[in-house]
Amino acid sequence: MTQLNLPTMFPIHSRHVAVIGAGAAGLVAAREIRREGHKVVVLEKNDQIGGTWIYTDRVESDPLGLDPKRPVIHSSIYGSLRTNLPRELMGFKDYPFVSRNDGSGDPRRFPGHTEVLKYLKEFAREFGIEEMVRFETEVVNVGLMDNNKWKVRSKKINNKDSFDDIYDAVVVCNGHYSQPRIAEIPGIDSWPGKQIHSHNYRTPEHYRDQVIVLIGSSASAVDICRDIAGVAREVHVASRSVADGTYEKQPGYDNMWLHSMIEIALKDGTVVFRNGNMVLADVILHCTGYKYHFPFLDTSGYVTVDDNRVGPLYKHVFPPGLAPWLSFVGLPWKVIPFPMCELQSKWIAGALSGRILLPSQEEMMEDTKAFYSTLEASGIPKRYTHNLSDYQFDYDNWLAGQCGCEGVEEWRILMYLAASSSRRTRPETYRDEWEDDHLILQAQEDFNKYPPMKISSNS
Ligand SMILES: Cc1cc2nc3c(=O)[nH]c(=O)nc-3n(C[C@H](O)[C@H](O)[C@H](O)COP(=O)(O)OP(=O)(O)OC[C@H]3O[C@@H](n4cnc5c(N)ncnc54)[C@H](O)[C@@H]3O)c2cc1C
Ligand SMILES: *[C@@H]1O[C@H](CO)[C@@H](O)[C@H](O)[C@H]1NC(C)=O
């Protein structure tokens, strides 16, 4: 519990730090970095905090998100979205995401998206984070100056006024669910139907009585195909992660099928699957994920995004040659994001003040290269570099070790395993039926350790 001792050991070096983005990552980064004694400015292009969790019914002009000049809508949240993790798991370590017993909000264990936004806003209010945020301020350029400080150019959203400010350090927290990745489909250029990426999916009405081919098997694919099956004539899910001959009617639905990947799309509107089936489809909906995208970042080529690997990055956070003055929070996926961002932020905060020592630049680079070699030797493509599914808790515990704080709670690990397995085996019911009440109790005992902030009305 190092944090409780922090105020007494005031850091030797107080830095001027820019945090880009006021989503979950930026908020917790700002909190941790300020409480280490640094001066923090958060630059946020939206007019409120919350990032991805700010639902909007607006969509982009290009439904596939390919036009680089299109005005970008940040959020990818759809109307019916409920969390795919139980709330006990999602919350920051010392600010639990628990339901209120006063009738306000959404008390469900897997709440709707509005409840998550509300939680982030309460977190920001509780710790006075909003006062650090410059809203409607888009970062358009981040570059290193001769004196090794960063010049951050930002632009006001409304009047286009732009500002250059100088910082000792920049922490990138701009999210990575806004820049669509599209499936490559032979013949697609002459296929006459409509294509859309899930980034621009909000509600099912547009798909009434239509025949939909939905590509993907991630959490949003699993949700969206069910959302649409309620109104569409037919939903055909094409998945890259099933065997080539796969063709299965989805249990519980008389209008939804699972297929292996698309073989080809034809100019008469037919979509042919690798299992030999074909359908005349109205829409192809790509639920095929997103790309890391840092249009503002100019490191003279030091940090690149290559096949969705952001690198070189030591432990997914620091470019070795620019550490600790440039860092990234929240890049890993297949993780529990909020508590991971919290640990990454503590590490960055301590490294900036010199309280936590990083290895030398050479050592960090060697470690990073060794990590990439291991991936390569295991046949894991570059684009999975930040997929932490197998080892997220080892990663979290490693970070905790660097920061001298407690690692991941036992109940969190067990609850994650239970939730992942029930999501896989019963996607219709896992949000409303569970068997891990004993873990909820353990979590609540743990939460009781923290001061009764505004956690629940009766505490
Ligand atoms: C459909 C979907 C469902 C999800 N479900 C869950 C779930 O159930 N549970 C869970 O824990 N996680 C879930 N996630 C993961 C989610 O991304 C994280 O919970 C979290 O929101 C990530 O926060 P972030 O701060 O990294 O990014 P974001 O929330 O995306 O925030 C980034 C912020 O940066 C700002 N920004 C970007 N570029 C600039 C710029 N140039 N200048 C200024 N500001 C900028 C944006 O406006 C935004 O406010 C889901 C994600 C998606 C897309
Ligand atoms: C992420 O990595 C795990 C473990 O290596 C793997 O099983 C899984 O398929 C990967 N996920 C994706 C979407 O690639």
Side-chain angles (χ1 to χ4, degrees), residues 21 23-25 44-45 51-53 74 83-84 90 139 173 175 177 337-338:
E44 170 54 60
K45 64 181 177 184
T52 276
W53 294 100
H74 185 79
T83 64
N84 55 29
M90 280 179 62
V139 172
C173 306
Y177 296 112
F338 297 3

Side-chain angles (χ1 to χ4, degrees), residues 9 185 210 213 225 264 267 390 406 411 441 458:
M9 31 182 284
I185 304 168
Q210 303 203 337
V213 170
C225 68
I264 188 166
K267 56 177 182 291
D390 273 354
E406 278 172 38
W411 61 261
L441 286 177
N458 53 7

Side-chain angles (χ1 to χ4, degrees), residues 14-21 26-43 128-134 167 169 171 349 352:
S14 172
R15 312 289 186 183
H16 190 205
V17 183
V19 170
I20 301 173
L27 293 173
V28 74
R31 177 192 180 201
E32 295 299 336
I33 293 168
R34 183 179 58 181
R35 75 161 143 181
E36 182 83 12
H38 304 294
K39 183 163 175 276
V40 181
V41 176
V42 183
L43 303 154
I129 299 167
E130 274 200 15
E131 68 201 34
M132 291 183 263
V133 185
R134 286 188 201 152
Y167 296 92
V171 184
L352 285 173

